[in-house]
Amino acid sequence: MILLFVALLLAPLLRSPAKAEETPWPSLKAGPHSVGFRTLDVTDYGRTIAPRVDWRGVEHPGDNFRQVRVSVWYPAAVEAKREPMVYRDYIEAAGFETPMEGEQLFGLDAYLAHSTFGGADREKLRKMVEETTAAFRDAAPAEGSFPVIVYAPSFSYEPFENSALFEYLASHGYIIGASRSSGPETREMSMDLAGVEASVRDMELILDSLHEDDNADLARVGAAGFSWGGLSAALLGMRNFNVQAVLALDGTLEHSEIPAVEEKHDFVPRRLRGGYLAIVGDREPSRSLGDDALYADIFELRYPDLQHWDFASDLIRIQVHSAGEPDADRRALVDEAYGLIAYQARLLFDAYLKGNEVNREVLLEGDMRAMNSAIVIENRAARAALPAPPSPAEFATLLRTDVEEARLVLASVKKNDSEIELLDWTQFQDAVTVSPFETKLAILELAREELGESSILFNNYGQAWRLEGDPEKALGYFRKALAHNPDSGFAKRSIGELEAEVSRE
């Protein structure tokens, strides 16, 4: 049994000249580092947000490239006399803006309008945004190389959505980058395949923007997200080999768009590596990545008494400052549970980005419990990964250098995962260029065993024998290719050329 010793975990932030003197999140125990905060304005010149000339024929003013403001939390070295940021600084730094009743609002005014629309009390919020954070604006970075965590907010939300978690992780030696959740052409996110792609590409842009940060170790990357952002984090983990830990906070995996994502996007859970931690609240997930993500350690926790917005520190703030009287007991439970979730997130990242094997074993035991019996944690899954197979590219290289070893590797992998796809016909298109000739034939024979007979197979056989200088055998295989597919232009053309060559002889 893993008892999370809340008395230790929930100790207040250390009081020192290099730390914030107060924090609204006493449940988060700071690490050894002070926390710095800065923003980066980056442009993706590979994406545009609008035509250069609009439908009226009016030229778009300025650049039409996608521009993203990145908020970055990082381990810092802070001078004793520095004053920490207040929460309003995060809001202003993010460039928060929103159209309200035809008027474009910016910064704090936009945040207040957005939040009071959800039921918060404006005057209470005005006091809340003056609360001290644990971060120092543009502080000098601490010495060292730190893993990077890139975060995707929930639908159309801001980068400071989980700033309490980011401050906590930064104090424990992580660099966190986040940007607003925006659609491909609009400030608001679009609930479709294009919106998912925009979110993932923004996460990739964040990683690219940190390339010049000497303290950012982009070989050790984690991805995290809340709600809609949980899907984006999982997708990034499936397409970036350096992402070794994924955290999904009440993440979206059941949305109606997911089948389209899986069909048309590179949503391939088998590509996940390292560790994947999904933490959900009172809803009952209808699916799990654990069924398909066989090559990552899978951990699933459920807090049945937490609601969706209890997974984001900004939304918790807004709920606390709602127009009605807040429930003090529930506030205390949510604060404590949020601290446990942050701690579990650090267990994940320490295990897979810092090589802390003890933390990995703690997660694999699958018996997380809180000392406070009022906080219920359901341990849904804790499963170790299967040995990772070679990637298709790695297998293609092995195939060209040692066919017999490739055959053994394939057989071994398929014992664990009968549905894995390491072979496809594109890998055999270049088989005719492999030397010696015996290797060509061995590769094609493996293709016959695994993929079956087809026009493509026999065309490859025919071309191999043609290059070897045996037109008769080549003709035989090209004719088999044509029999399998009477429309094969390559087979028809090759037969015609070879028949002409044989007649000339």
PDB file of all heavy atoms in Angstrom, residues 145-173:
ATOM      1  N   SER A 145      20.733  21.558 -16.468  1.00  0.00           N
ATOM      2  CA  SER A 145      19.927  21.128 -17.601  1.00  0.00           C
ATOM      3  C   SER A 145      18.673  20.456 -17.059  1.00  0.00           C
ATOM      4  O   SER A 145      18.764  19.561 -16.208  1.00  0.00           O
ATOM      5  CB  SER A 145      20.721  20.145 -18.475  1.00  0.00           C
ATOM      6  OG  SER A 145      19.957  19.688 -19.555  1.00  0.00           O
ATOM      7  N   PHE A 146      17.504  20.891 -17.539  1.00  0.00           N
ATOM      8  CA  PHE A 146      16.249  20.443 -16.954  1.00  0.00           C
ATOM      9  C   PHE A 146      15.327  19.854 -18.015  1.00  0.00           C
ATOM     10  O   PHE A 146      15.264  20.353 -19.146  1.00  0.00           O
ATOM     11  CB  PHE A 146      15.552  21.617 -16.260  1.00  0.00           C
ATOM     12  CG  PHE A 146      16.383  22.281 -15.198  1.00  0.00           C
ATOM     13  CD1 PHE A 146      17.020  23.489 -15.457  1.00  0.00           C
ATOM     14  CD2 PHE A 146      16.554  21.682 -13.960  1.00  0.00           C
ATOM     15  CE1 PHE A 146      17.788  24.102 -14.489  1.00  0.00           C
ATOM     16  CE2 PHE A 146      17.325  22.289 -12.984  1.00  0.00           C
ATOM     17  CZ  PHE A 146      17.953  23.508 -13.243  1.00  0.00           C
ATOM     18  N   PRO A 147      14.586  18.804 -17.649  1.00  0.00           N
ATOM     19  CA  PRO A 147      13.603  18.255 -18.584  1.00  0.00           C
ATOM     20  C   PRO A 147      12.525  19.284 -18.908  1.00  0.00           C
ATOM     21  O   PRO A 147      12.271  20.207 -18.123  1.00  0.00           O
ATOM     22  CB  PRO A 147      13.017  17.060 -17.832  1.00  0.00           C
ATOM     23  CG  PRO A 147      13.967  16.772 -16.718  1.00  0.00           C
ATOM     24  CD  PRO A 147      14.612  18.065 -16.379  1.00  0.00           C
ATOM     25  N   VAL A 148      11.890  19.092 -20.039  1.00  0.00           N
ATOM     26  CA  VAL A 148      10.863  20.021 -20.517  1.00  0.00           C
ATOM     27  C   VAL A 148       9.507  19.327 -20.500  1.00  0.00           C
ATOM     28  O   VAL A 148       9.370  18.181 -20.942  1.00  0.00           O
ATOM     29  CB  VAL A 148      11.181  20.510 -21.938  1.00  0.00           C
ATOM     30  CG1 VAL A 148      10.019  21.321 -22.510  1.00  0.00           C
ATOM     31  CG2 VAL A 148      12.458  21.337 -21.941  1.00  0.00           C
ATOM     32  N   ILE A 149       8.498  20.032 -20.005  1.00  0.00           N
ATOM     33  CA  ILE A 149       7.116  19.554 -20.063  1.00  0.00           C
ATOM     34  C   ILE A 149       6.310  20.563 -20.869  1.00  0.00           C
ATOM     35  O   ILE A 149       6.296  21.755 -20.535  1.00  0.00           O
ATOM     36  CB  ILE A 149       6.504  19.399 -18.663  1.00  0.00           C
ATOM     37  CG1 ILE A 149       7.308  18.395 -17.832  1.00  0.00           C
ATOM     38  CG2 ILE A 149       5.045  18.978 -18.753  1.00  0.00           C
ATOM     39  CD1 ILE A 149       6.926  18.375 -16.361  1.00  0.00           C
ATOM     40  N   VAL A 150       5.681  20.115 -21.928  1.00  0.00           N
ATOM     41  CA  VAL A 150       4.852  21.001 -22.739  1.00  0.00           C
ATOM     42  C   VAL A 150       3.398  20.681 -22.426  1.00  0.00           C
ATOM     43  O   VAL A 150       2.998  19.517 -22.357  1.00  0.00           O
ATOM     44  CB  VAL A 150       5.173  20.848 -24.245  1.00  0.00           C
ATOM     45  CG1 VAL A 150       4.974  19.436 -24.727  1.00  0.00           C
ATOM     46  CG2 VAL A 150       4.353  21.820 -25.074  1.00  0.00           C
ATOM     47  N   TYR A 151       2.610  21.747 -22.202  1.00  0.00           N
ATOM     48  CA  TYR A 151       1.250  21.599 -21.676  1.00  0.00           C
ATOM     49  C   TYR A 151       0.226  22.152 -22.660  1.00  0.00           C
ATOM     50  O   TYR A 151       0.413  23.225 -23.243  1.00  0.00           O
ATOM     51  CB  TYR A 151       1.131  22.338 -20.341  1.00  0.00           C
ATOM     52  CG  TYR A 151      -0.242  22.291 -19.713  1.00  0.00           C
ATOM     53  CD1 TYR A 151      -0.601  21.244 -18.869  1.00  0.00           C
ATOM     54  CD2 TYR A 151      -1.171  23.296 -19.952  1.00  0.00           C
ATOM     55  CE1 TYR A 151      -1.860  21.208 -18.278  1.00  0.00           C
ATOM     56  CE2 TYR A 151      -2.433  23.272 -19.365  1.00  0.00           C
ATOM     57  CZ  TYR A 151      -2.775  22.223 -18.536  1.00  0.00           C
ATOM     58  OH  TYR A 151      -4.020  22.193 -17.953  1.00  0.00           O
ATOM     59  N   ALA A 152      -0.873  21.401 -22.826  1.00  0.00           N
ATOM     60  CA  ALA A 152      -1.990  21.840 -23.664  1.00  0.00           C
ATOM     61  C   ALA A 152      -3.194  22.139 -22.777  1.00  0.00           C
ATOM     62  O   ALA A 152      -3.694  21.246 -22.081  1.00  0.00           O
ATOM     63  CB  ALA A 152      -2.343  20.764 -24.684  1.00  0.00           C
ATOM     64  N   PRO A 153      -3.692  23.375 -22.779  1.00  0.00           N
ATOM     65  CA  PRO A 153      -4.860  23.705 -21.946  1.00  0.00           C
ATOM     66  C   PRO A 153      -6.137  23.061 -22.477  1.00  0.00           C
ATOM     67  O   PRO A 153      -6.171  22.480 -23.567  1.00  0.00           O
ATOM     68  CB  PRO A 153      -4.941  25.238 -22.043  1.00  0.00           C
ATOM     69  CG  PRO A 153      -3.630  25.679 -22.596  1.00  0.00           C
ATOM     70  CD  PRO A 153      -3.140  24.553 -23.450  1.00  0.00           C
ATOM     71  N   SER A 154      -7.199  23.214 -21.714  1.00  0.00           N
ATOM     72  CA  SER A 154      -8.498  22.735 -22.142  1.00  0.00           C
ATOM     73  C   SER A 154      -9.049  23.634 -23.249  1.00  0.00           C
ATOM     74  O   SER A 154      -8.411  24.600 -23.670  1.00  0.00           O
ATOM     75  CB  SER A 154      -9.457  22.697 -20.951  1.00  0.00           C
ATOM     76  OG  SER A 154      -9.548  23.974 -20.339  1.00  0.00           O
ATOM     77  N   PHE A 155     -10.228  23.336 -23.695  1.00  0.00           N
ATOM     78  CA  PHE A 155     -10.818  23.948 -24.886  1.00  0.00           C
ATOM     79  C   PHE A 155     -10.862  25.471 -24.780  1.00  0.00           C
ATOM     80  O   PHE A 155     -11.521  26.034 -23.913  1.00  0.00           O
ATOM     81  CB  PHE A 155     -12.231  23.393 -25.079  1.00  0.00           C
ATOM     82  CG  PHE A 155     -12.787  23.561 -26.449  1.00  0.00           C
ATOM     83  CD1 PHE A 155     -12.481  22.652 -27.447  1.00  0.00           C
ATOM     84  CD2 PHE A 155     -13.599  24.634 -26.746  1.00  0.00           C
ATOM     85  CE1 PHE A 155     -12.994  22.793 -28.723  1.00  0.00           C
ATOM     86  CE2 PHE A 155     -14.118  24.788 -28.013  1.00  0.00           C
ATOM     87  CZ  PHE A 155     -13.822  23.865 -29.007  1.00  0.00           C
ATOM     88  N   SER A 156     -10.110  26.141 -25.646  1.00  0.00           N
ATOM     89  CA  SER A 156     -10.075  27.612 -25.746  1.00  0.00           C
ATOM     90  C   SER A 156      -9.569  28.287 -24.474  1.00  0.00           C
ATOM     91  O   SER A 156      -9.827  29.479 -24.265  1.00  0.00           O
ATOM     92  CB  SER A 156     -11.466  28.174 -26.100  1.00  0.00           C
ATOM     93  OG  SER A 156     -11.872  27.746 -27.370  1.00  0.00           O
ATOM     94  N   TYR A 157      -8.791  27.563 -23.636  1.00  0.00           N
ATOM     95  CA  TYR A 157      -8.360  28.165 -22.379  1.00  0.00           C
ATOM     96  C   TYR A 157      -6.930  28.689 -22.474  1.00  0.00           C
ATOM     97  O   TYR A 157      -6.238  28.528 -23.487  1.00  0.00           O
ATOM     98  CB  TYR A 157      -8.520  27.183 -21.222  1.00  0.00           C
ATOM     99  CG  TYR A 157      -9.063  27.872 -19.992  1.00  0.00           C
ATOM    100  CD1 TYR A 157     -10.428  28.066 -19.844  1.00  0.00           C
ATOM    101  CD2 TYR A 157      -8.215  28.360 -19.004  1.00  0.00           C
ATOM    102  CE1 TYR A 157     -10.928  28.725 -18.728  1.00  0.00           C
ATOM    103  CE2 TYR A 157      -8.706  29.009 -17.892  1.00  0.00           C
ATOM    104  CZ  TYR A 157     -10.064  29.192 -17.756  1.00  0.00           C
ATOM    105  OH  TYR A 157     -10.549  29.857 -16.661  1.00  0.00           O
ATOM    106  N   GLU A 158      -6.525  29.335 -21.392  1.00  0.00           N
ATOM    107  CA  GLU A 158      -5.280  30.089 -21.367  1.00  0.00           C
ATOM    108  C   GLU A 158      -4.113  29.274 -20.802  1.00  0.00           C
ATOM    109  O   GLU A 158      -4.312  28.294 -20.085  1.00  0.00           O
ATOM    110  CB  GLU A 158      -5.467  31.365 -20.540  1.00  0.00           C
ATOM    111  CG  GLU A 158      -6.471  32.337 -21.117  1.00  0.00           C
ATOM    112  CD  GLU A 158      -6.059  32.865 -22.477  1.00  0.00           C
ATOM    113  OE1 GLU A 158      -4.862  33.121 -22.692  1.00  0.00           O
ATOM    114  OE2 GLU A 158      -6.946  33.022 -23.339  1.00  0.00           O
ATOM    115  N   PRO A 159      -2.874  29.716 -21.071  1.00  0.00           N
ATOM    116  CA  PRO A 159      -1.701  28.948 -20.623  1.00  0.00           C
ATOM    117  C   PRO A 159      -1.528  28.896 -19.118  1.00  0.00           C
ATOM    118  O   PRO A 159      -0.875  27.980 -18.605  1.00  0.00           O
ATOM    119  CB  PRO A 159      -0.529  29.674 -21.291  1.00  0.00           C
ATOM    120  CG  PRO A 159      -1.042  31.043 -21.596  1.00  0.00           C
ATOM    121  CD  PRO A 159      -2.491  30.871 -21.902  1.00  0.00           C
ATOM    122  N   PHE A 160      -2.101  29.846 -18.381  1.00  0.00           N
ATOM    123  CA  PHE A 160      -1.947  29.850 -16.927  1.00  0.00           C
ATOM    124  C   PHE A 160      -3.013  28.990 -16.244  1.00  0.00           C
ATOM    125  O   PHE A 160      -3.162  29.020 -15.014  1.00  0.00           O
ATOM    126  CB  PHE A 160      -2.012  31.284 -16.367  1.00  0.00           C
ATOM    127  CG  PHE A 160      -3.235  32.071 -16.781  1.00  0.00           C
ATOM    128  CD1 PHE A 160      -4.426  31.920 -16.113  1.00  0.00           C
ATOM    129  CD2 PHE A 160      -3.178  32.952 -17.851  1.00  0.00           C
ATOM    130  CE1 PHE A 160      -5.550  32.641 -16.485  1.00  0.00           C
ATOM    131  CE2 PHE A 160      -4.285  33.674 -18.248  1.00  0.00           C
ATOM    132  CZ  PHE A 160      -5.488  33.525 -17.563  1.00  0.00           C
ATOM    133  N   GLU A 161      -3.746  28.221 -17.015  1.00  0.00           N
ATOM    134  CA  GLU A 161      -4.837  27.393 -16.522  1.00  0.00           C
ATOM    135  C   GLU A 161      -4.445  26.554 -15.305  1.00  0.00           C
ATOM    136  O   GLU A 161      -5.223  26.377 -14.372  1.00  0.00           O
ATOM    137  CB  GLU A 161      -5.296  26.483 -17.657  1.00  0.00           C
ATOM    138  CG  GLU A 161      -6.246  25.383 -17.294  1.00  0.00           C
ATOM    139  CD  GLU A 161      -6.555  24.515 -18.503  1.00  0.00           C
ATOM    140  OE1 GLU A 161      -5.772  23.572 -18.786  1.00  0.00           O
ATOM    141  OE2 GLU A 161      -7.547  24.786 -19.172  1.00  0.00           O
ATOM    142  N   ASN A 162      -3.222  26.014 -15.307  1.00  0.00           N
ATOM    143  CA  ASN A 162      -2.741  25.177 -14.197  1.00  0.00           C
ATOM    144  C   ASN A 162      -1.427  25.731 -13.655  1.00  0.00           C
ATOM    145  O   ASN A 162      -0.482  24.978 -13.375  1.00  0.00           O
ATOM    146  CB  ASN A 162      -2.568  23.724 -14.657  1.00  0.00           C
ATOM    147  CG  ASN A 162      -3.626  22.817 -14.071  1.00  0.00           C
ATOM    148  OD1 ASN A 162      -3.961  22.919 -12.896  1.00  0.00           O
ATOM    149  ND2 ASN A 162      -4.162  21.912 -14.882  1.00  0.00           N
ATOM    150  N   SER A 163      -1.383  27.038 -13.446  1.00  0.00           N
ATOM    151  CA  SER A 163      -0.129  27.677 -13.025  1.00  0.00           C
ATOM    152  C   SER A 163       0.360  27.150 -11.678  1.00  0.00           C
ATOM    153  O   SER A 163       1.573  27.100 -11.436  1.00  0.00           O
ATOM    154  CB  SER A 163      -0.302  29.201 -12.962  1.00  0.00           C
ATOM    155  OG  SER A 163      -1.319  29.557 -12.018  1.00  0.00           O
ATOM    156  N   ALA A 164      -0.560  26.751 -10.796  1.00  0.00           N
ATOM    157  CA  ALA A 164      -0.118  26.205  -9.502  1.00  0.00           C
ATOM    158  C   ALA A 164       0.691  24.924  -9.703  1.00  0.00           C
ATOM    159  O   ALA A 164       1.727  24.713  -9.053  1.00  0.00           O
ATOM    160  CB  ALA A 164      -1.329  25.933  -8.612  1.00  0.00           C
ATOM    161  N   LEU A 165       0.245  24.072 -10.610  1.00  0.00           N
ATOM    162  CA  LEU A 165       0.989  22.855 -10.936  1.00  0.00           C
ATOM    163  C   LEU A 165       2.323  23.200 -11.573  1.00  0.00           C
ATOM    164  O   LEU A 165       3.358  22.591 -11.263  1.00  0.00           O
ATOM    165  CB  LEU A 165       0.155  21.987 -11.880  1.00  0.00           C
ATOM    166  CG  LEU A 165       0.845  20.745 -12.455  1.00  0.00           C
ATOM    167  CD1 LEU A 165       1.203  19.760 -11.346  1.00  0.00           C
ATOM    168  CD2 LEU A 165      -0.046  20.073 -13.503  1.00  0.00           C
ATOM    169  N   PHE A 166       2.329  24.191 -12.455  1.00  0.00           N
ATOM    170  CA  PHE A 166       3.565  24.555 -13.157  1.00  0.00           C
ATOM    171  C   PHE A 166       4.604  25.102 -12.184  1.00  0.00           C
ATOM    172  O   PHE A 166       5.800  24.785 -12.285  1.00  0.00           O
ATOM    173  CB  PHE A 166       3.282  25.593 -14.239  1.00  0.00           C
ATOM    174  CG  PHE A 166       2.229  25.179 -15.240  1.00  0.00           C
ATOM    175  CD1 PHE A 166       1.513  26.130 -15.944  1.00  0.00           C
ATOM    176  CD2 PHE A 166       1.947  23.840 -15.471  1.00  0.00           C
ATOM    177  CE1 PHE A 166       0.542  25.765 -16.860  1.00  0.00           C
ATOM    178  CE2 PHE A 166       0.982  23.458 -16.388  1.00  0.00           C
ATOM    179  CZ  PHE A 166       0.268  24.421 -17.086  1.00  0.00           C
ATOM    180  N   GLU A 167       4.171  25.949 -11.254  1.00  0.00           N
ATOM    181  CA  GLU A 167       5.102  26.477 -10.251  1.00  0.00           C
ATOM    182  C   GLU A 167       5.696  25.339  -9.423  1.00  0.00           C
ATOM    183  O   GLU A 167       6.903  25.321  -9.153  1.00  0.00           O
ATOM    184  CB  GLU A 167       4.363  27.457  -9.337  1.00  0.00           C
ATOM    185  CG  GLU A 167       3.903  28.731 -10.032  1.00  0.00           C
ATOM    186  CD  GLU A 167       2.953  29.555  -9.194  1.00  0.00           C
ATOM    187  OE1 GLU A 167       2.645  29.131  -8.050  1.00  0.00           O
ATOM    188  OE2 GLU A 167       2.509  30.610  -9.666  1.00  0.00           O
ATOM    189  N   TYR A 168       4.849  24.410  -9.039  1.00  0.00           N
ATOM    190  CA  TYR A 168       5.296  23.266  -8.250  1.00  0.00           C
ATOM    191  C   TYR A 168       6.335  22.454  -9.012  1.00  0.00           C
ATOM    192  O   TYR A 168       7.406  22.120  -8.478  1.00  0.00           O
ATOM    193  CB  TYR A 168       4.077  22.418  -7.901  1.00  0.00           C
ATOM    194  CG  TYR A 168       4.371  21.088  -7.252  1.00  0.00           C
ATOM    195  CD1 TYR A 168       4.828  21.000  -5.945  1.00  0.00           C
ATOM    196  CD2 TYR A 168       4.161  19.905  -7.956  1.00  0.00           C
ATOM    197  CE1 TYR A 168       5.074  19.771  -5.343  1.00  0.00           C
ATOM    198  CE2 TYR A 168       4.406  18.670  -7.370  1.00  0.00           C
ATOM    199  CZ  TYR A 168       4.866  18.612  -6.068  1.00  0.00           C
ATOM    200  OH  TYR A 168       5.112  17.395  -5.493  1.00  0.00           O
ATOM    201  N   LEU A 169       6.051  22.134 -10.276  1.00  0.00           N
ATOM    202  CA  LEU A 169       6.982  21.331 -11.065  1.00  0.00           C
ATOM    203  C   LEU A 169       8.276  22.094 -11.348  1.00  0.00           C
ATOM    204  O   LEU A 169       9.370  21.519 -11.306  1.00  0.00           O
ATOM    205  CB  LEU A 169       6.322  20.900 -12.372  1.00  0.00           C
ATOM    206  CG  LEU A 169       5.187  19.877 -12.239  1.00  0.00           C
ATOM    207  CD1 LEU A 169       4.496  19.663 -13.583  1.00  0.00           C
ATOM    208  CD2 LEU A 169       5.707  18.553 -11.691  1.00  0.00           C
ATOM    209  N   ALA A 170       8.176  23.380 -11.637  1.00  0.00           N
ATOM    210  CA  ALA A 170       9.377  24.176 -11.895  1.00  0.00           C
ATOM    211  C   ALA A 170      10.280  24.212 -10.665  1.00  0.00           C
ATOM    212  O   ALA A 170      11.511  24.139 -10.769  1.00  0.00           O
ATOM    213  CB  ALA A 170       8.997  25.587 -12.322  1.00  0.00           C
ATOM    214  N   SER A 171       9.677  24.284  -9.486  1.00  0.00           N
ATOM    215  CA  SER A 171      10.489  24.318  -8.261  1.00  0.00           C
ATOM    216  C   SER A 171      11.213  22.993  -8.041  1.00  0.00           C
ATOM    217  O   SER A 171      12.204  22.933  -7.327  1.00  0.00           O
ATOM    218  CB  SER A 171       9.608  24.647  -7.053  1.00  0.00           C
ATOM    219  OG  SER A 171       8.832  23.533  -6.651  1.00  0.00           O
ATOM    220  N   HIS A 172      10.719  21.929  -8.685  1.00  0.00           N
ATOM    221  CA  HIS A 172      11.349  20.619  -8.578  1.00  0.00           C
ATOM    222  C   HIS A 172      12.207  20.287  -9.802  1.00  0.00           C
ATOM    223  O   HIS A 172      12.565  19.123  -9.999  1.00  0.00           O
ATOM    224  CB  HIS A 172      10.282  19.542  -8.366  1.00  0.00           C
ATOM    225  CG  HIS A 172       9.709  19.530  -6.990  1.00  0.00           C
ATOM    226  ND1 HIS A 172      10.320  18.906  -5.929  1.00  0.00           N
ATOM    227  CD2 HIS A 172       8.578  20.114  -6.489  1.00  0.00           C
ATOM    228  CE1 HIS A 172       9.582  19.077  -4.832  1.00  0.00           C
ATOM    229  NE2 HIS A 172       8.529  19.805  -5.135  1.00  0.00           N
ATOM    230  N   GLY A 173      12.534  21.301 -10.586  1.00  0.00           N
ATOM    231  CA  GLY A 173      13.519  21.100 -11.638  1.00  0.00           C
ATOM    232  C   GLY A 173      12.974  20.774 -13.008  1.00  0.00           C
ATOM    233  O   GLY A 173      13.566  19.973 -13.738  1.00  0.00           O
TER     234      GLY A 173
END
